[in-house]
Amino acid sequence: MASALQGRSVTVVGAGIGGLTAALALARRGAEVTVLERAPVLAEVGAGLQLSPNGMRVIEALGLTSAIEAVSAPGGTVRLHDHHGRPVIRLDFTRRRPHASFRLIHRARLLEV
């Protein structure tokens, strides 16, 4: 069955995580995608991110699970600290969902993938 996007021209504005994910998903469905980005280069900006199970399902649907697992670490526990570095709270997400996939990754690595 042919995709309604086959051969259509689509412009995605912004090469951030959302823009690149949308561009890849559209291209995989046959669209001719152009990504517009104001920055002259995608530089290493940002910080570490946690990919939660719903985000990992998107990664899986795009066929990127192995690539993401190669540049990320398993996660599931988050420790929040105040501005002095003192612990505030520890959240263990795997306690309620032991088989769920949580990954920790730097934003730049995610954009590279």
Side-chain angles (χ1 to χ4, degrees), residues 48-51 68 71-78 102-106:
L49 303 171
Q50 177 174 302
L51 299 174
I68 290 294
V71 296
S72 66
T77 301
V78 174
F102 291 89
R103 302 298 297 183
L104 303 174
I105 188 169
H106 190 278

Side-chain angles (χ1 to χ4, degrees), residues 82-95:
D82 67 16
H83 65 285
H84 296 293
R86 293 183 300 244
V88 174
I89 192 169
R90 180 181 182 272
L91 307 167
D92 184 356
F93 297 120
T94 60
R95 212 171 103 230

